[in-house]
Amino acid sequence: MEEKILNKIDEISNQMIDGIKSIVQINSVQSEATENAPFGLGIQQALEATLELASSLGFETENVDNRVGIVKYGCGDDYIGIMGHLDVVPVGDGWNHDPFSAYEDETGRIFARGILDNKGPILANLYALYAIKELGIKTKHPIWILFGTNEETGFEDLKYYLKKKKPPIMGWTPDCKYPVVYAERGRGVYQISCGYDKQAVFNEWINEYILTSDEYANKLGLDIKDKEFGMMQLRNRKLVNVDNKLAFSFTLSYPACISNEEIMQQVASKLVDGLELNCVVNFDPVRFDKDCFLCKTLKDTYEKVTGMDGTPVTTTGGTYAKLMPNIVPFGPSFPGQKGIGHNPNEWMDRKDIITNAKIYALSMVRVANGE
């Protein structure tokens, strides 16, 4: 059966690439909300076009109040969930081709905003499921592909979804890297603020503890290392607008050996009179047992399709797994593929899209038929 699935992916590969290009060509950067488009007209167009595409492939679909689209295969309440997103980050400068043209060069490399992050991968999952459907393969648990619309700017889509629907019993988000990611760092955004009468104190403190700190937050005394997650990372240092206050924010990507509460205590211990510390947002670390059924199954499937080592890994990034219970990051980037998403000339190779679809199709069948 698995060889039939792999062959079917090859058979539908051109159809899949054409379908992906049609969605990638939609500018789905978040814009002003309207009555029926909570994250802007471009994102709404991408969601509607994706659900129309899925319907044309013979799937049952559901639109959860224009926040999340669902493509369903099979019956039952305990579903396997695969969640990606249709929203993309702003284009920026430095592109060699129109960022929404889905330009493909002679090597089969496709350039477009969103081709990797995340339209290409989540649509590869749709076509993986299509191959399963076309072969008439039945699964013990239903499989749902979930198309989010607000991953890049706040996860409001997923927060809304979880108020309306129960989470999957297991699954993945194709919005990170291979092999399967069993653990994500925590991520906290912290803000230092004060009144304008304390500007001199504010400037001195920010210079001393943030701007001259290394990327591991050594000046804050947070340069800690975890054997699984690696070093603390200090990111996104910037002045921010807060009513009637001076304010500066920074992000810490932190390993599981420290908690948000401990971070707050450590930063607070460095403060001087007149400065205020707030945690603007926090996502706790996510961690699965590397030997659990889900991680082991995805590891074995990745190794079967690619022939590469599938030992589960950790990530410094943040995905839907931060909020959606029971899912892990899984793909789409292969080892050595870094610095592509969010940058000019974002790309994904045709052959990699096809390999992704093969990995995802076998994973769906194995996970959905498991205990």
Side-chain angles (χ1 to χ4, degrees), residues 230-276:
M231 292 290 292
M232 173 78 76
Q233 291 186 337
L234 173 61
R235 300 171 167 175
N236 300 328
R237 292 174 263 198
K238 58 185 178 182
L239 288 166
V240 292
N241 294 320
V242 176
D243 291 341
N244 301 315
K245 286 185 176 181
L246 292 166
F248 193 97
S249 76
F250 57 94
T251 300
L252 290 172
S253 176
Y254 62 91
C257 63
I258 190 170
S259 68
N260 179 55
E261 291 75 17
E262 290 170 323
I263 289 172
M264 290 284 287
Q265 291 172 4
Q266 178 61 24
V267 177
S269 73
K270 303 291 186 180
L271 293 182
V272 296
D273 288 343
L275 300 186
E276 179 181 346

Side-chain angles (χ1 to χ4, degrees), residues 248-314:
F248 193 97
S249 76
F250 57 94
T251 300
L252 290 172
S253 176
Y254 62 91
C257 63
I258 190 170
S259 68
N260 179 55
E261 291 75 17
E262 290 170 323
I263 289 172
M264 290 284 287
Q265 291 172 4
Q266 178 61 24
V267 177
S269 73
K270 303 291 186 180
L271 293 182
V272 296
D273 288 343
L275 300 186
E276 179 181 346
L277 168 67
N278 288 297
C279 179
V280 179
V281 64
N282 174 65
F283 296 106
D284 289 332
V286 177
R287 193 178 190 283
F288 286 71
D289 186 332
K290 286 186 284 188
D291 296 320
C292 72
F293 169 77
L294 179 60
C295 289
K296 188 175 186 307
T297 301
L298 299 183
K299 169 187 178 295
D300 292 346
T301 306
Y302 173 79
E303 291 180 340
K304 174 180 173 61
V305 174
T306 68
M308 294 189 285
D309 180 15
T311 301
V313 296
T314 66

Side-chain angles (χ1 to χ4, degrees), residues 115-166:
I115 187 66
L116 179 71
D117 187 12
N118 186 236
K119 293 176 181 176
I122 191 57
L123 287 163
N125 275 271
L126 173 64
Y127 281 93
L129 189 59
Y130 175 62
I132 292 168
K133 180 178 74 68
E134 289 299 284
L135 290 170
I137 297 170
K138 304 300 181 183
T139 56
K140 183 184 300 184
H141 296 285
I143 301 170
W144 291 10
I145 311 292
L146 308 177
F147 293 91
T149 57
N150 185 235
E151 194 272 349
E152 297 290 4
T153 52
F155 292 180
E156 296 302 323
D157 53 346
L158 179 50
K159 294 174 187 175
Y160 187 91
Y161 178 86
L162 290 172
K163 293 177 182 177
K164 299 287 185 176
K165 305 282 186 180
K166 71 177 188 178

Side-chain angles (χ1 to χ4, degrees), residues 10-249:
D10 286 328
E11 181 184 320
I12 66 170
S13 61
N14 288 334
Q15 180 185 5
M16 173 174 63
I17 299 298
D18 289 344
I20 290 172
K21 285 183 175 180
S22 73
I23 304 302
V24 167
Q25 288 168 341
I26 300 170
N27 181 342
S28 56
V29 176
Q30 183 170 343
S31 58
E32 184 178 354
T34 65
E35 182 179 359
N36 295 313
F39 307 115
L41 293 177
I43 291 176
Q44 186 61 28
Q45 182 186 354
L47 177 60
E48 292 174 358
T50 299
L51 293 180
E52 288 174 7
L53 174 62
S55 293
S56 74
L57 296 175
F59 287 108
E60 175 189 354
T61 67
E62 180 181 350
N63 184 337
V64 184
D65 298 332
N66 299 317
R67 270 82 171 176
V68 176
I70 309 175
V71 174
K72 302 178 181 181
Y73 181 70
C75 300
D77 295 327
D78 293 334
Y79 67 97
I80 306 302
I82 297 99
M83 187 168 192
H85 62 93
L86 298 171
D87 60 311
V88 299
V89 297
V91 170
D93 298 323
W95 288 81
N96 296 330
H97 305 279
D98 180 344
F100 295 107
S101 66
Y103 173 81
E104 183 174 356
D105 69 15
E106 65 278 2
T107 70
R109 178 161 291 181
I110 303 167
F111 297 88
R113 175 59 83 223
I115 187 66
L116 179 71
D117 187 12
N118 186 236
K119 293 176 181 176
I122 191 57
L123 287 163
N125 275 271
L126 173 64
Y127 281 93
L129 189 59
Y130 175 62
I132 292 168
K133 180 178 74 68
E134 289 299 284
L135 290 170
I137 297 170
K138 304 300 181 183
T139 56
K140 183 184 300 184
H141 296 285
I143 301 170
W144 291 10
I145 311 292
L146 308 177
F147 293 91
T149 57
N150 185 235
E151 194 272 349
E152 297 290 4
T153 52
F155 292 180
E156 296 302 323
D157 53 346
L158 179 50
K159 294 174 187 175
Y160 187 91
Y161 178 86
L162 290 172
K163 293 177 182 177
K164 299 287 185 176
K165 305 282 186 180
K166 71 177 188 178
I169 58 171
M170 63 182 69
W172 60 85
T173 177
D175 194 18
C176 193
K177 63 182 179 181
Y178 290 116
V180 58
V181 176
Y182 75 94
E184 282 189 4
R185 288 168 174 252
R187 180 174 296 181
V189 179
Y190 307 93
Q191 188 178 93
I192 304 295
S193 61
C194 69
Y196 285 100
D197 60 323
K198 297 290 185 179
Q199 182 169 359
V201 173
F202 174 85
N203 291 347
E204 183 178 355
W205 194 93
I206 295 298
N207 285 329
E208 173 64 22
Y209 289 99
I210 306 297
L211 296 183
T212 60
S213 178
D214 64 17
E215 62 181 307
Y216 308 117
N218 67 312
K219 290 292 189 70
L220 291 171
L222 289 170
D223 47 340
I224 59 175
K225 184 175 183 179
D226 181 271
K227 66 179 182 179
E228 288 184 293
F229 291 83
M231 292 290 292
M232 173 78 76
Q233 291 186 337
L234 173 61
R235 300 171 167 175
N236 300 328
R237 292 174 263 198
K238 58 185 178 182
L239 288 166
V240 292
N241 294 320
V242 176
D243 291 341
N244 301 315
K245 286 185 176 181
L246 292 166
F248 193 97
S249 76

